[in-house]
């Protein structure tokens, strides 16, 4: 990856670390960095972003950073200081972009930025077209996941309630493990990384519970419930800080290793 593109993506990541990202904002961050990484002409991308109302603020800052990072006058003795300054200036427009747009809207904004055909070599055009198709497929899978998981959610909460009262058969737990595995595959196809990760943790917990069905699992059940809450928050774009819920889910591995 060229230096200027790597520099910008790291600037975005550093700026994002200063923002309390909520729900879909985490997916938006991944989408933005991935799109910048794959787009063949960074200068064109940031110039076009400035023309789109919803992307203009971030586009202006990214273009400024790009012009600096791609210049042959970069002074490496002060690069760290400049990086910190530029990341700080990027924080506010990045916060508004990530928190004020649904992932679907952001994807559509970015998908509409395309290089003029005459400026793109054949192989790059084919690659760019392939990336556009992948994003469209991801959107389709995201919609499929949203619809199917919301329908399943009530049953999953009942499952946890039944496990808590020890009024469920192991075969039924295994049935829902299989259903969640299917949802994980769809989430991965939709590139909803945070959702596939927390559901993977939830399934590990349910598999442990199925094997150790004769024990109480009160703490583990609440961790799994936190995973389901994260999924709903991400899907519905609710204005909720996911930090505490993510911390709960991350503790699942620790509990399973005891």
């Amino acid at each position: 990856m060229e230096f200027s593109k790597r520099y910008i993506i790291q600037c975005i990541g550093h700026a994002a670390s200063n923002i309390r990202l909520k729900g879909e904002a985490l997916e938006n961050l991944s989408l933005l960095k991935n799109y910048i990484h794959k787009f063949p002409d960074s200068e064109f991308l940031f110039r076009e972003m400035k023309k789109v109302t919803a992307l203009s603020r971030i586009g202006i800052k990214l273009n400024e950073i790009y012009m600096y990072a791609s210049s042959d006058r970069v002074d490496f003795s002060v690069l760290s200081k400049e990086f910190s300054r530029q990341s700080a200036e990027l924080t506010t427009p990045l916060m508004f972009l990530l928190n004020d747009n649904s992932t679907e809207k952001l994807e559509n904004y970015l998908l509409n930025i395309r290089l003029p055909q005459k400026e793109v070599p054949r192989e790059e055009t084919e690659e760019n077209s392939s990336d556009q198709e992948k994003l469209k497929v991801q959107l389709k899978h995201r919609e499929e996941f949203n619809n199917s998981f919301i329908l399943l959610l009530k049953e999953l909460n009942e499952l946890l309630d039944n496990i808590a009262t020890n009024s469920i058969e192991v075969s039924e737990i295994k049935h829902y493990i299989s259903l969640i595995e299917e949802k994980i595959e769809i989430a991965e196809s939709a590139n909803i990384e945070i959702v596939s990760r927390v559901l993977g943790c939830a399934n590990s917990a349910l598999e442990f519970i199925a094997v150790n069905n004769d024990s109480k699992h009160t703490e583990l059940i609440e961790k799994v419930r936190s995973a389901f809450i994260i999924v709903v928050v991400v899907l519905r774009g609710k204005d909720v800080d996911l930090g505490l819920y993510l911390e709960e889910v991350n503790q699942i591995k620790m509990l399973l290793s005891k």
Side-chain angles (χ1 to χ4, degrees), residues 125-224:
T125 302
E126 292 174 352
E127 183 180 348
N128 196 37
S129 176
S130 176
D131 288 339
Q132 304 283 349
E133 287 303 314
K134 286 178 182 177
L135 284 172
K136 289 179 181 178
V137 170
Q138 287 172 5
L139 269 175
K140 180 180 178 182
H141 284 299
R142 174 181 285 272
E143 183 178 359
E144 179 185 349
F145 182 90
N146 288 7
N147 294 336
S148 61
F149 188 83
I150 295 301
L151 290 173
L152 181 62
L153 184 61
K154 182 179 178 181
E155 293 181 37
L156 291 176
N157 282 321
E158 290 176 355
L159 168 71
L160 296 181
D161 292 339
N162 291 335
I163 291 173
T165 57
N166 204 24
S167 55
I168 191 168
E169 297 292 330
V170 172
S171 58
E172 190 173 355
I173 298 175
K174 290 182 177 179
H175 168 68
Y176 282 101
I177 289 172
S178 297
L179 291 180
I180 293 173
E181 284 175 351
E182 293 175 5
K183 299 299 176 281
I184 291 172
E185 290 182 7
I186 299 173
E188 288 174 346
S189 299
N191 197 31
I192 320 176
E193 182 182 348
I194 186 173
V195 167
S196 59
R197 179 165 65 85
V198 299
L199 285 182
C201 290
N203 246 12
S204 295
L206 291 175
E207 287 168 355
F208 179 85
I209 290 170
V211 173
N212 302 276
N213 195 41
D214 55 343
S215 305
K216 287 286 185 181
H217 302 286
T218 305
E219 188 176 2
L220 200 52
I221 289 168
E222 292 313 306
K223 309 300 183 192
V224 174

Side-chain angles (χ1 to χ4, degrees), residues 1-17:
M1 192 193 310
E2 63 186 88
F3 171 77
S4 58
K5 186 173 286 189
R6 185 183 298 113
Y7 183 88
I8 285 172
I9 290 174
Q10 289 191 17
C11 259
I12 292 172
H14 189 71
S17 68

